[in-house]
Amino acid sequence: MKKIFLLTILLVLGISSFAQKQNYVIGFYNVENLFDIYDDPLTDDAEFLPEGKNKWTQPKYEKKLHNIARVINAMRDENGVYHTVLGVSEIENRLVLEDLVSLPELTGANYQIVHYDGPDARGVDVGLLYRPDQFQYIDSESIPFTFEDSKIEFFMDEEEQKEFKTRDILMVHGQIDGEDIAVYVAHLPSRIGGKGKDLRPRGAEIIYNHAAALKEEYPGIKIVVMGDMNDNPTDESMVVWMHSKAEIADMEPGDFYSPFIRMLADGYGSLAYRGVWNIYDNILVDYNLAQAPDGGLKILPVHKKGYCGRVFKKSFMTQQKGQYKGTPFRTFSNGGFIGGYSDHYPTYIVIGK
């Protein structure tokens, strides 16, 4: 009888200890052209106006907002909690994020917003949503894309470099569970027309150098880098300029860990182009977060195969018929509104102690 009693006490204590452990979901979602319906005279948003090419009306805009909210809620259902931090790209402005987080189906998350207007010609930016009960905001910075102090040899001459404009990189510094953490959100230059081969490495170089300086200012800080890199985790920008490794055991203090390198090799993808799956929606963590000692925040496996990354896809987010069957169910196809979600699947990681 005593043995049964002791076993019962140990079981209760074990369950209680497990329940007290808090995991935190950190994710990224390219929401594909989330524009409002209003003209911004400072940007080229003509396509996304009621009279524009896409006939972007209030009902279409609201459909888009509710679709994104449905995806966020589906990830909440999978994890049991809303994201602690969710980076987003292809948003026009702060207003669209305010409209998103104020939807009735998302008010339970109480998401707060970090956003800066950037110099992109179309007006698209990156942003961050965070839960203030889990992420204590300290400060943030919008980091411009420049060409100064680079080790990269560029194809553009100096005049072309001065004229070049692209999205800023967002850095948000805060605390999770009492530990300093910085999150970078990026949307690196496009591959359209075969361009950007030197620009995406430059974007990665900017992030890496900024993170290195931040570590000097805040010793022990942990870093997460996320975004639509327009490159796979195996490309030069990520492997060389972000110093990323496929395995935690192979890391040195200046390295980043990329859980999506192995996942890409195993056939996973966050978007498809001409029948080929890619993972442009990368999330990387630094050495401090990958190899934290027991009791500190660290990246955790989120898949039965041991992956520390997740490409989130559900049938409702996936095209079910036609030429693009099996790929992300996007908002527009062949110039027409089809009422989908995004041309990218979101990705996420989980950290905990």
Side-chain angles (χ1 to χ4, degrees):
M1 189 70 181
K2 286 184 178 179
K3 287 184 178 179
I4 296 174
F5 177 75
L6 287 171
L7 285 171
T8 302
I9 292 296
L10 289 171
L11 181 61
V12 169
L13 288 173
I15 292 172
S16 176
S17 174
F18 178 79
Q20 290 173 5
K21 289 185 177 180
Q22 177 69 64
N23 291 341
Y24 305 92
V25 182
I26 297 178
F28 173 78
Y29 195 11
N30 179 328
V31 294
E32 189 200 8
N33 291 323
L34 180 56
F35 280 76
D36 63 30
I37 65 168
Y38 309 108
D39 182 29
D40 182 346
L42 300 179
T43 64
D44 183 14
D45 62 352
E47 289 186 347
F48 286 90
L49 297 174
E51 66 276 11
K53 176 183 174 182
N54 293 322
K55 307 295 181 187
W56 193 240
T57 59
Q58 186 70 21
K60 290 179 181 177
Y61 173 56
E62 291 180 1
K63 169 69 171 172
K64 176 80 172 179
L65 289 172
H66 285 286
N67 281 355
I68 296 165
R70 184 182 180 188
V71 174
I72 294 172
N73 276 330
M75 289 188 279
R76 175 208 59 193
D77 292 343
E78 176 170 284
N79 291 299
V81 292
Y82 279 111
H83 288 76
T84 298
V85 168
L86 177 62
V88 290
S89 71
E90 290 199 18
I91 56 165
E92 184 182 13
N93 49 38
R94 184 184 180 90
L95 174 63
V96 300
L97 292 181
E98 291 175 346
D99 287 345
L100 175 65
V101 302
S102 65
L103 292 175
E105 56 263 48
L106 288 183
T107 53
N110 190 28
Y111 279 129
Q112 305 300 300
I113 298 167
V114 184
H115 168 265
Y116 295 83
D117 283 316
D120 182 81
R122 293 178 62 236
V124 292
D125 301 319
V126 297
L128 189 86
L129 308 179
Y130 70 92
R131 289 177 51 184
D133 61 321
Q134 293 191 342
F135 181 86
Q136 288 72 54
Y137 173 91
I138 296 175
D139 55 34
S140 60
E141 182 180 353
S142 191
I143 306 164
F145 188 105
T146 65
F147 295 88
E148 290 83 15
D149 302 319
S150 176
K151 296 180 180 178
I152 297 169
E153 185 175 344
F154 297 106
F155 293 109
M156 292 182 181
D157 60 32
E158 288 188 10
E159 284 302 313
E160 290 173 318
Q161 291 176 19
K162 288 178 183 178
E163 295 297 320
F164 180 75
K165 297 183 185 302
T166 190
R167 299 157 288 268
D168 286 355
I169 297 157
L170 175 63
M171 186 285 295
V172 183
H173 171 207
Q175 286 193 339
I176 296 177
D177 206 353
E179 296 190 24
D180 268 323
I181 189 164
V183 180
Y184 290 81
V185 188
H187 187 180
L188 297 187
S190 170
R191 286 176 170 241
I192 294 175
K195 64 184 180 182
K197 187 176 180 181
D198 55 340
L199 300 177
R200 291 183 294 278
R202 174 54 183 158
E205 183 185 39
I206 291 170
I207 297 169
Y208 186 87
N209 289 345
H210 193 281
L214 200 65
K215 288 181 179 183
E216 289 187 7
E217 185 177 358
Y218 298 96
I221 193 171
K222 295 177 177 180
I223 309 286
V224 178
V225 175
M226 64 172 72
D228 178 356
M229 305 303 184
N230 273 303
D231 266 344
N232 277 309
T234 50
D235 286 328
E236 177 188 352
S237 62
M238 298 293 102
V239 174
V240 176
W241 298 98
M242 277 304 305
H243 300 254
S244 65
K245 294 289 191 294
E247 302 294 338
I248 292 175
D250 295 335
M251 295 180 71
E252 296 181 359
D255 291 335
F256 279 79
Y257 166 57
S258 174
F260 295 101
I261 293 176
R262 184 156 67 94
M263 294 182 69
L264 180 68
D266 289 348
Y268 289 84
S270 62
L271 76 159
Y273 181 68
R274 294 182 178 176
V276 177
W277 281 99
N278 302 278
I279 302 180
Y280 288 176
D281 305 276
N282 286 272
I283 304 177
L284 308 94
V285 302
D286 76 327
Y287 181 89
N288 291 342
L289 196 46
Q291 294 213 16
D294 291 342
L297 287 173
K298 66 172 64 176
I299 191 169
L300 302 173
V302 293
H303 193 281
K304 61 184 178 181
K305 292 184 179 179
Y307 301 131
C308 289
R310 173 87 162 97
V311 177
F312 184 79
K313 56 184 289 188
K314 295 290 183 182
S315 59
F316 72 86
M317 301 161 58
T318 303
Q319 190 77 39
Q320 297 299 314
K321 58 184 179 180
Q323 179 183 358
Y324 302 109
K325 181 179 179 180
T327 64
F329 183 20
R330 58 196 303 165
T331 307
F332 291 90
S333 181
N334 297 319
F337 179 75
I338 58 175
Y341 297 78
S342 173
D343 54 351
H344 292 241
Y345 291 129
T347 54
Y348 69 78
I349 63 171
V350 175
I351 65 174
K353 292 185 174 180

